[in-house]
């Protein structure tokens, strides 16, 4: 074995390509995304935005549609996370977690290359399969069928975040009764097959809006796949507009340049760009070019010319990349604050919802005996059980201290049951047999609190609502006594 081979072997010993690490992450992300909708705790999912049941499940807590105040926080967290990660690591989300990249990698590297041998090598993504032979035409149909199966699984998985999987399985067995759901699945599948098989990485470069905004978020500390022209030599002219007639001619201009012009970094690129031209919109930070050059240069006992680094460190040689810079700290602080607010608001979730409307008739007066006149007020309530089990509900009336215990419940006389998710309408009547106020000039509006609760959990399932009890002026009471 030649000395250079030995040197290369030693240099690459223990090296694990980024590609292998990405495959592992893809496998984990796929498994996790397929499993997550099936994990249920106390009847609640991690994330479910159910349109047919009008419920939001978030972190295994169920919210009603009236409680969607958490959604803006969720969106804010999502955007802050993606923006922050872009400032830090460029399009790292695209190359490492984006479903489009995962689908494409599975289809291109596993199905087309490993299983069907339509493509020759994972390391050369520039050569499209040759479909002129009958064998390859058949293989193409097989690939399409496999992509359709994948698309069905992916479309179903997507729907499980909007239709609980336990219901989904019942619905798909009766497709004619659920045309909207079937339509969504069909359109998602059509889009996915078109995207995976035909559109390919053009989606990342031309369709995905994220590719347009990400470049404005970059700064010179943003880490990305970056070619080191200081070592490798400029392959393109200094304005990076005009390509040299051949790369060899450039190397002859600069004999110290280390780039071998093997173009391994170019042929491996899934978005068909040449990283040696510098930062480009199409680059998804998959780091396959870093792997390719690590292997080439490693064999020569040298570090890769394409690095996962920042322009500051590799291009401008201005020192080490500054990770914890003010922008990144600001994103982290906003994220922590938003998550904190969301957790606090989520923990104050109401386990029941109550709406109280006082009836138009202000009060009723009934003569009981010569010393007692009863005054009642009626209310319509809408009580919603937002939990997953049936509960029995009742309520107390809290009056001002001087009237405590004097306003009582006439109707309903007993607790009533409400099924999970159901909104129950009830008439309640409060009364008093006492003279609450002796005002000769006007009716008195007494502020009260309706304290509603579930009989089996008076501590947790409670809600207080403010209302009023109207007590008539003295002459009206007297009139009624005299009438009767
Ligand atoms: S893989 Fe490395 S050595 Fe080969 S062309 Fe690319 S930068 Fe040059
Ligand atoms: S240049 Fe191509 S291979 Fe390199 S990270 Fe960007 S997309 Fe991946």
């Amino acid at each position: 074995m030649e000395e250079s081979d030995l040197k290369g072997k030693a240099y690459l010993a223990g090296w694990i390509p980024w590609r292998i690490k990405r495959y592992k992450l893809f496998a984990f992300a796929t498994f996790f995304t397929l499993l997550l909708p099936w994990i249920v705790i106390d009847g609640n999912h991690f994330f479910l935005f159910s349109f047919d049941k009008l419920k939001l499940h978030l972190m295994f807590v169920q919210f009603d549609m009236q409680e969607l105040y958490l959604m803006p926080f969720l969106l804010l967290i999502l955007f802050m996370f993606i923006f922050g990660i872009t400032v830090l690591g460029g399009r790292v989300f695209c190359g490492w977690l984006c479903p489009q990249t995962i689908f494409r990698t599975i289809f291109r590297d596993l199905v087309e290359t490993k299983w069907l041998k339509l493509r020759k090598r994972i390391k050369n993504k520039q050569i499209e399969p040759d479909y002129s032979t009958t064998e390859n035409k058949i293989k193409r149909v097989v690939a399409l069928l496999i992509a359709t199966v994948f698309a069905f699984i992916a479309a179903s998985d997507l729907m499980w975040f909007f239709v609980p999987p336990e219901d989904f399985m019942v619905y798909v067995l009766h497709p004619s009764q659920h045309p909207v759901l079937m339509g969504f699945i069909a359109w998602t599948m059509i889009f996915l097959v078109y995207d995976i098989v035909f559109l390919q990485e053009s989606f990342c470069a031309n369709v995905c809006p994220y590719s347009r905004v990400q470049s404005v978020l970059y700064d010179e500390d943003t880490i990305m796949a970056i070619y080191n022209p200081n070592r490798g030599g400029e392959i393109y002219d200094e304005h990076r507009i005009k390509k040299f007639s051949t790369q060899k001619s450039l190397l002859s201009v600069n004999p110290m340049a280390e780039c071998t012009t093997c173009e391994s970094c170019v042929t491996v690129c899934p978005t068909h760009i040449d990283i040696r031209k510098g930062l480009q919109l199409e680059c998804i930070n998959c780091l396959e070019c870093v792997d390719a050059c690590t292997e080439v240069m490693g064999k020569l006992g040298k570090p890769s010319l394409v690095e996962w680094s920042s322009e500051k460190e590799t291009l401008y040689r201005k020192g080490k990349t500054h990770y914890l810079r003010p922008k990144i700290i600001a994103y982290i602080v906003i994220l922590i604050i938003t998550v904190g607010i969301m957790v606090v608001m989520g923990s104050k979730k109401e386990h029941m919802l109550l709406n109280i409307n006082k009836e138009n008739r202000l009060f009723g007066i009934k003569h009981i005996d010569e010393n007692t006149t009863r005054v009642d007020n009626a209310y319509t309530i809408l009580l919603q059980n937002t939990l997953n089990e049936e509960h029995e509900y009742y309520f107390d009336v809290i009056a001002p201290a001087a009237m405590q215990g004097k306003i009582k419940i006439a109707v309903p006389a007993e607790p009533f049951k409400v099924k999970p998710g159901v909104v129950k309408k009830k008439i309640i009547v409060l009364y008093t047999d006492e003279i609450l106020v002796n005002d000769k000039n006007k009716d008195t509006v007494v502020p009260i609190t309706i304290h509603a609760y579930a009989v089996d959990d008076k501590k947790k399932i409670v809600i207080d609502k403010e209302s009023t009890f109207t007590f008539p002026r003295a002459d009206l009471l007297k009139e009624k006594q005299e009438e009767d």
Side-chain angles (χ1 to χ4, degrees):
M1 198 176 281
E2 284 184 21
E3 196 190 332
S4 62
D5 287 345
L6 283 171
K7 204 170 154 193
K9 241 184 166 177
Y11 198 87
L12 292 172
W15 169 62
I16 301 170
W18 290 111
R19 181 167 59 85
I20 303 300
K21 291 175 187 164
R22 281 171 71 232
Y23 286 171
K24 286 182 182 166
L25 186 65
F26 289 173
F28 173 76
T30 306
F31 177 72
F32 182 74
T33 317
L34 286 169
L35 183 71
L36 191 62
W38 295 90
I39 302 174
V40 178
I41 297 177
D42 286 341
N44 301 324
H45 298 257
F46 180 79
F47 179 85
L48 173 70
F49 196 22
S50 168
F51 287 103
D52 59 343
K53 297 209 168 113
L54 299 178
K55 295 275 179 200
L56 168 71
H57 294 200
L58 192 59
M59 290 188 277
F60 306 110
V61 179
Q62 192 180 125
F63 296 90
D64 210 72
M65 282 292 166
Q66 288 101 312
E67 301 173 285
L68 285 189
Y69 51 80
L70 290 178
M71 279 310 273
F73 291 99
L74 260 188
L75 293 175
L76 189 62
I77 289 170
L78 186 71
F79 281 112
M80 282 300 121
F81 176 73
I82 292 188
F83 287 168
I85 213 162
T86 308
V87 175
L88 189 66
R91 280 182 85 174
V92 72
F93 172 81
C94 303
W96 289 71
L97 271 179
C98 176
Q100 149 82 18
T101 305
I102 299 178
F103 291 143
R104 275 297 297 152
T105 306
I106 292 174
F107 185 71
R108 186 194 52 229
D109 293 357
L110 186 67
V111 178
E112 288 189 324
T113 313
K114 288 272 177 206
W115 289 355
L116 300 176
K117 313 272 184 238
L118 273 166
R119 292 175 187 270
K120 291 203 167 46
R121 298 166 67 226
I122 287 174
K123 288 178 183 171
N124 191 339
K125 299 182 178 65
Q126 311 313 313
I127 304 170
E128 284 301 309
D130 170 18
Y131 294 121
S132 61
T133 66
T134 312
E135 189 191 346
N136 280 3
K137 279 181 185 150
I138 295 169
K139 284 182 177 176
R140 182 172 213 200
V141 175
V142 175
L144 258 172
L145 289 175
I146 295 173
T148 309
V149 173
F150 285 166
F152 175 69
I153 296 169
S156 303
D157 190 20
L158 176 68
M159 292 301 140
W160 294 340
F161 290 96
F162 301 95
V163 178
E166 57 272 19
D167 293 349
F168 179 91
M169 292 304 170
V170 179
Y171 295 169
V172 285
L173 294 176
H174 305 93
S176 58
Q177 292 170 19
H178 303 280
V180 176
L181 177 65
M182 296 305 128
F184 269 113
I185 295 173
W187 277 112
T188 311
M189 284 175 66
I190 291 168
F191 170 75
L192 284 177
V193 171
Y194 174 69
D195 175 39
I196 298 168
V197 180
F198 303 102
L199 199 54
Q200 305 179 356
E201 276 74 20
S202 302
F203 180 90
C204 312
N206 304 316
V207 182
C208 179
Y210 179 49
S211 73
R212 307 279 142 191
V213 293
Q214 40 100 19
S215 55
V216 296
L217 296 167
Y218 283 24
D219 56 34
E220 62 177 25
D221 280 298
T222 300
I223 49 170
M224 61 186 101
I226 186 163
Y227 170 71
N228 188 341
N230 301 308
R231 282 180 49 219
E234 286 282 358
I235 303 303
Y236 298 88
D237 72 5
E238 61 180 1
H239 303 295
R240 299 196 172 128
I241 297 166
K242 178 176 146 280
K243 192 177 175 184
F244 280 82
S245 53
T246 69
Q247 289 147 12
K248 292 280 181 201
S249 68
L250 176 78
L251 285 178
S252 64
V253 171
N254 180 3
M256 298 306 288
E258 292 177 44
C259 178
T260 64
T261 70
C262 66
E263 301 221 326
S264 296
C265 57
V266 183
T267 55
V268 81
C269 178
T271 60
H272 315 293
I273 58 173
D274 184 343
I275 191 63
R276 296 168 303 171
K277 283 183 184 175
L279 173 63
Q280 288 150 84
L281 202 69
E282 296 87 347
C283 177
I284 57 169
N285 250 341
C286 67
L287 308 186
E288 296 228 20
C289 52
V290 179
D291 285 342
C293 195
T294 302
E295 207 174 336
V296 172
M297 296 306 286
K299 284 177 185 159
L300 303 173
K302 294 180 180 179
S304 173
L305 293 172
V306 189
E307 301 163 13
W308 194 27
S309 176
S310 65
E311 289 189 318
K312 177 178 161 189
E313 192 168 334
T314 298
L315 211 56
Y316 310 131
R317 292 174 158 172
K318 287 203 245 167
K320 290 271 170 220
T321 305
H322 192 192
Y323 292 101
L324 266 188
R325 49 199 190 273
K327 253 197 230 176
I328 300 291
I329 292 170
Y331 279 115
I332 293 172
V333 170
I334 294 172
L335 261 179
I336 291 172
I337 292 173
T338 316
V339 170
I341 294 174
M342 207 178 87
V343 168
V344 170
M345 290 184 80
S347 66
K348 288 191 177 153
K349 174 198 152 41
E350 291 175 341
H351 300 290
M352 61 190 281
L353 297 174
L354 183 65
N355 202 323
I356 300 179
N357 281 313
K358 198 165 186 300
E359 286 203 342
N360 291 340
R361 181 188 66 122
L362 287 177
F363 45 73
I365 305 173
K366 196 174 169 194
H367 185 65
I368 305 289
D369 58 44
E370 62 185 73
N371 296 320
T372 317
T373 305
R374 176 169 294 187
V375 173
D376 63 44
N377 282 208
Y379 309 78
T380 306
I381 64 161
L382 291 172
L383 190 149
Q384 183 172 2
N385 174 2
T386 59
L387 299 170
N388 291 328
E389 324 80 39
E390 183 176 85
H391 286 282
E392 229 179 349
Y393 296 90
Y394 205 55
F395 53 92
D396 295 330
V397 181
I398 302 167
M403 300 172 194
Q404 202 57 263
K406 293 181 179 172
I407 300 174
K408 297 172 185 159
I409 304 163
V411 176
E414 307 221 311
F416 52 93
K417 290 181 177 166
V418 184
K419 287 192 164 48
V422 168
V423 181
K424 191 147 192 165
K425 186 175 179 183
K426 275 260 169 202
I427 300 293
I428 63 174
V429 180
L430 305 182
Y431 76 96
T432 182
D433 291 337
E434 317 229 5
I435 302 297
L436 294 181
V437 191
N438 195 0
D439 193 321
K440 295 189 179 78
N441 301 317
K442 58 177 180 7
D443 301 334
T444 304
V445 176
V446 178
I448 58 168
T449 301
I450 307 278
H451 175 72
Y453 56 86
V455 177
D456 55 345
D457 194 344
K458 289 185 182 178
K459 282 201 172 142
K460 193 172 132 201
I461 312 172
V462 291
I463 191 166
D464 286 347
K465 286 279 169 177
E466 304 300 321
S467 190
T468 55
F469 184 90
T470 310
F471 193 80
R473 62 183 198 267
D475 62 312
L476 284 176
L477 280 178
K478 205 167 168 207
E479 255 173 45
K480 186 69 184 168
Q481 266 178 344
E482 285 168 2
E483 268 174 31
D484 292 345

